[in-house]
Amino acid sequence: MDNRRGCGRGLKMVARVRTVAFQGIEALPVDVQVMVGPGKVGMQIVGLPDKAVAESRERVQAALHASGLSMPSKKVTVNLAPADLPKEGSHYDLPIALGLMAALGAIPGDMLTGYVVLGELSLDGTIAGVAGALPAAIGANAEGKGLICPFACGPEAAWAGKDFDILAPRSLIAVANHFRGTQVLSRPEAGIQLAARDLPDLADIKGQESAKRAVEVAAAGGHNLLMVGPPGSGKSMLAQRLPSILPPLAPKELLEVSMIASVAGELGEGKLTDRRPFRAPHHSASMAAMVGGGLRARPGEVSLAHHGVLFLDELPEFTPQTLDALRQPLETGDCMIARANHRVTYPARIQLVAAMNPCRCGMSGEPGYRCLRGDRCRTEYQARISGPLLDRIDLRIEVPAVSASDLIRPDKAETSAAVAQRVARARAMQRERLERLGAGATTNAHCPPSIIEEIAKPDPTGLTLLKDASEKLGFSARAYHRVLKVARTLADLDASETVGRIHLAEAISYRMSAERMAQAA
């Protein structure tokens, strides 16, 4: 690809290449304008570039030299338009290099007009993978353009459409040869990650039948769940087995989850999976790590768990500010990050599952154990969780220590596959019902209050029970509707169209402990 001869003749004054800037999971169009003209020899990049974009000057020059193309002895100006939009990331390397190659006449510039380009350059001219290929591909397809992306990102970008034009070269030379007609780049195949078959199974848990029932109810309706119990009672084991009974992602959900993972750079080998996310951050996680933020307003754990599970072990050990930051995403299903130079909204429709000890020493309420600090130990520890956050948790259960008789019992517990079938049937009923009513939700947990009052209307005896419980326990309006949602899920598990007294009684029992804990907070 030697173009050293006559690189000063026949130069195009301005070459244009389309790329994107990411704002949340949205890909905004950016016009890369490259001009070669008289002036001081060198390359200048303008248009609010960050440090990574500014450093692309050195990567582009080295990659061009390694590909056999010398820089012109002229001034090269690169403008990233619109000029008032901040440009971040290393994916601007490839569009800048292709724009410069078009300006030098190394490739036909008119062939680039039908493509959106992104990719990071290595010094030897190879193209490295970047984050955000899937949102960029979807945006390009919506504009009727093709996509040029790194080879590593090809399987991810191919999900944007079957007839979508994608070039996934390994190097700059491969791009030039393709446009010259000396080499044809084949379209990449959409990559899919095989479903994991080694998920932890509920059959591994001995005893804890009531806790496993609560986990099944939480999975069936997408409800938030809090488990309280002494160390070693199996709280973490129960949470880790929740993914094994959850249904796979629907096609629309799969696309949303994958776009967030793509922007965060967490799509392994560009392959998508229909397995629901399961995120379990350590309790030392900062607020920015949990809800998103940082220099580039990246998605946090709550968004990476979109349409999946966010598991918070040792719940009171998280800082109160971090926990309270979850209140808005739990209510709205979105996480808005507002900074001085960023205002980004990421989807965050999650199922919160948390586990905690009853007190600092962990053994409060256990038979034969007496805490030296008395009830004060339990009250102070549980008060680290605010009442408004507890109000958003539908199910709160006690997980007692497992007895020796449970551990040595020879019979096998029910498997995750059997429970998953019941969960799938209940979710199918919910999806069909809510789609028919235009609720804009797929699970009872996220059903609007006006609709849940209609579809979970109790029978007369159940209505009396709900009224008495609301008055005695002091339910808030949110708590009242969440009891109805859980009762509706329990009825769905029983394949019952009517919410009866038995369903409401069980739903209220899951709420009673939460109300006592809220009073302590």
Side-chain angles (χ1 to χ4, degrees), residues 108-311:
D110 56 344
M111 289 188 175
L112 295 173
T113 57
Y115 290 94
V116 172
V117 184
L118 74 163
E120 178 184 333
L121 288 176
S122 300
L123 299 183
D124 60 356
T126 57
I127 305 173
V130 293
L134 181 58
I138 293 174
N141 195 19
E143 290 186 53
K145 294 181 177 291
L147 182 76
I148 301 177
C149 67
F151 180 82
C153 300
E156 170 186 343
W159 285 93
K162 293 183 179 179
D163 300 324
F164 181 47
D165 186 13
I166 302 175
L167 301 180
R170 296 179 184 269
S171 65
L172 273 177
I173 294 177
V175 180
N177 290 341
H178 175 83
F179 285 123
R180 287 175 171 178
T182 59
Q183 177 183 353
V184 178
L185 293 173
S186 59
R187 187 184 189 277
E189 295 294 328
I192 185 166
Q193 187 174 337
L194 297 177
R197 298 183 179 180
D198 56 347
L199 291 176
D201 198 287
L202 278 174
D204 301 334
I205 300 177
K206 303 292 185 69
Q208 304 295 13
E209 298 304 322
S210 60
K212 285 190 278 190
R213 165 69 172 175
V215 170
E216 179 182 343
V217 174
H223 301 288
N224 301 326
L225 170 67
L226 173 62
M227 296 177 284
V228 183
S233 58
K235 304 183 296 297
S236 298
M237 287 185 66
L238 285 162
Q240 291 164 359
R241 281 148 183 78
L242 184 57
S244 66
I245 63 175
L246 289 172
L249 291 166
K252 182 180 178 181
E253 295 174 334
L254 170 64
L255 196 60
E256 292 178 3
V257 170
S258 300
M259 288 175 71
I260 298 172
S262 177
V263 169
E266 294 199 4
L267 276 185
E269 300 178 355
K271 295 181 179 179
L272 277 60
T273 176
D274 63 355
R275 179 179 169 185
R276 293 185 180 273
F278 182 84
R279 307 290 298 192
H282 190 261
H283 57 72
S284 62
S286 65
M287 186 185 298
M290 187 67 70
V291 300
L295 184 62
R296 300 182 185 176
R298 292 297 188 187
E301 294 292 331
V302 68
S303 296
L304 292 169
H306 183 52
H307 288 314
V309 177
L310 178 66
F311 175 49

Side-chain angles (χ1 to χ4, degrees), residues 229-432:
S233 58
K235 304 183 296 297
S236 298
M237 287 185 66
L238 285 162
Q240 291 164 359
R241 281 148 183 78
L242 184 57
S244 66
I245 63 175
L246 289 172
L249 291 166
K252 182 180 178 181
E253 295 174 334
L254 170 64
L255 196 60
E256 292 178 3
V257 170
S258 300
M259 288 175 71
I260 298 172
S262 177
V263 169
E266 294 199 4
L267 276 185
E269 300 178 355
K271 295 181 179 179
L272 277 60
T273 176
D274 63 355
R275 179 179 169 185
R276 293 185 180 273
F278 182 84
R279 307 290 298 192
H282 190 261
H283 57 72
S284 62
S286 65
M287 186 185 298
M290 187 67 70
V291 300
L295 184 62
R296 300 182 185 176
R298 292 297 188 187
E301 294 292 331
V302 68
S303 296
L304 292 169
H306 183 52
H307 288 314
V309 177
L310 178 66
F311 175 49
L312 303 184
D313 203 0
E314 307 296 345
L315 184 66
E317 299 300 328
F318 287 85
T319 63
Q321 295 83 358
T322 300
L323 291 180
D324 285 338
L326 298 176
R327 286 154 55 177
Q328 184 229 355
L330 287 174
E331 198 67 25
T332 65
D334 293 310
C335 189
M336 190 185 75
I337 306 168
R339 299 292 184 266
N341 59 345
H342 280 92
R343 188 182 180 89
V344 178
T345 300
Y346 287 106
R349 180 67 71 186
I350 64 168
Q351 179 178 2
L352 176 65
V353 177
M356 61 176 287
N357 298 328
C359 64
R360 173 70 66 181
C361 57
M363 303 299 292
S364 176
E366 287 302 302
Y369 181 85
R370 180 175 178 273
C371 180
L372 296 177
R373 299 181 61 198
D375 291 338
R376 180 182 176 186
C377 179
R378 182 187 186 103
T379 303
E380 289 181 353
Y381 193 64
Q382 295 186 356
R384 292 176 60 86
I385 306 170
S386 68
L389 177 62
L390 285 173
D391 201 36
R392 290 165 167 81
I393 298 178
D394 304 341
L395 298 93
R396 196 267 194 181
I397 60 171
E398 303 282 348
V399 185
V402 182
S403 65
S405 59
D406 288 327
L407 294 175
I408 63 177
R409 186 180 300 169
D411 55 321
K412 192 73 173 177
E414 190 175 28
T415 64
S416 290
V419 178
Q421 290 181 357
R422 296 196 296 268
V423 170
R425 286 195 296 267
R427 286 222 177 187
M429 292 177 62
Q430 296 168 46
R431 189 183 308 109
E432 180 182 353

